[in-house]
Each structure stands twice: as C-alpha cells, then as structure tokens.
C-alpha cells in the first residue's frame, strides 16, 4: 500500500513540476522577435482586424470591408454567393410576411 502512495505522490510531483516548467516557458522571449513574419504583416480585414483580408473579395464590389470569416469565398464563385444571398434574403422576407399573415388568422 505504501509503494502505491509513493508512486502517486511522485507522479503528482512530476506533473506539478512539468506544469511549472511549461508556465515559465511562456514568459521567455521568442528567438524570432526581431524578424518579420509575412503572415502577421498581411493586409487585415477592416471588418475583422484579426483575420487576413479575403483575396477573392478584393475589387469585387466597390468599397468592400472584407467580411468573410469562414472563407466561403475560397470555395464558391463570388457571383454564386451574391445571387444566393439575394435569393435567401427574399425568401426570408416572404417567410416573415407569411408568419404575420398566419398569426393574424388571415390564412
């Protein structure tokens, strides 16, 4: 029974020491601090400043603010996305009117 307690005690001490070493490593300076990294210097989206500007949105519609957080424009053509947005917006407007008409008891 003592050997099991000693093993668990040693394991817990090792885990505690390892976590302290990992925490201390977070406060050390990076070796790349003086160098520029191209991903960090990329043009940022005005809509979401922590994301790069979506390449497929450049010059598509006048003064676009670059809102594409999921990168959908990388997988579908912009014409298709614009047409889909208009179609689904119109369907949502008709659905709102249909909900109001049904709620009022007209249908």
């Amino acid at each position: 029974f003592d050997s099991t307690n000693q093993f668990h005690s040693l394991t817990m001490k090792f885990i505690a020491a390892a976590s302290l070493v990992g925490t201390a490593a977070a406060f050390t300076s990076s070796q790349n601090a003086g160098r520029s990294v191209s991903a960090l210097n990329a043009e940022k989206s005005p809509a979401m400043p922590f994301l790069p500007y979506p390449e497929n949105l450049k010059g598509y519609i006048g003064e676009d603010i670059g809102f594409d957080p999921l990168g959908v424009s990388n997988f579908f053509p912009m014409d298709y996305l614009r047409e889909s947005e208009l179609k689904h917006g119109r369907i949502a407007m008709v659905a709102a009117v249909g909900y109001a008409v049904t709620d009022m008891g007209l249908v």
Side-chain angles (χ1 to χ4, degrees), residues 69-91:
L70 299 178
V72 177
S73 64
N74 295 333
F75 303 106
F76 296 101
M78 286 303 299
D79 294 331
Y80 173 77
L81 293 174
R82 187 172 184 188
E83 182 181 331
S84 296
E85 185 176 7
L86 290 172
K87 175 181 148 188
H88 290 104
R90 290 173 182 157
I91 290 173

Side-chain angles (χ1 to χ4, degrees), residues 10-99:
L10 184 61
T11 304
M12 290 300 291
K13 288 177 184 178
F14 176 74
I15 291 172
S19 65
L20 288 175
V21 169
T23 305
F27 294 104
T28 61
S29 64
S30 174
Q31 294 178 352
N32 295 333
R35 299 181 201 157
S36 65
V37 179
S38 62
L40 295 176
N41 294 336
E43 180 184 2
K44 299 295 182 184
S45 169
M48 307 203 59
F50 52 89
L51 292 176
Y53 195 93
E55 291 295 322
N56 295 334
L57 297 182
K58 286 188 178 181
Y60 184 72
I61 304 173
E63 295 293 323
D64 186 50
I65 59 170
F67 182 77
D68 188 15
L70 299 178
V72 177
S73 64
N74 295 333
F75 303 106
F76 296 101
M78 286 303 299
D79 294 331
Y80 173 77
L81 293 174
R82 187 172 184 188
E83 182 181 331
S84 296
E85 185 176 7
L86 290 172
K87 175 181 148 188
H88 290 104
R90 290 173 182 157
I91 290 173
M93 289 186 273
V94 170
V97 170
Y99 178 79

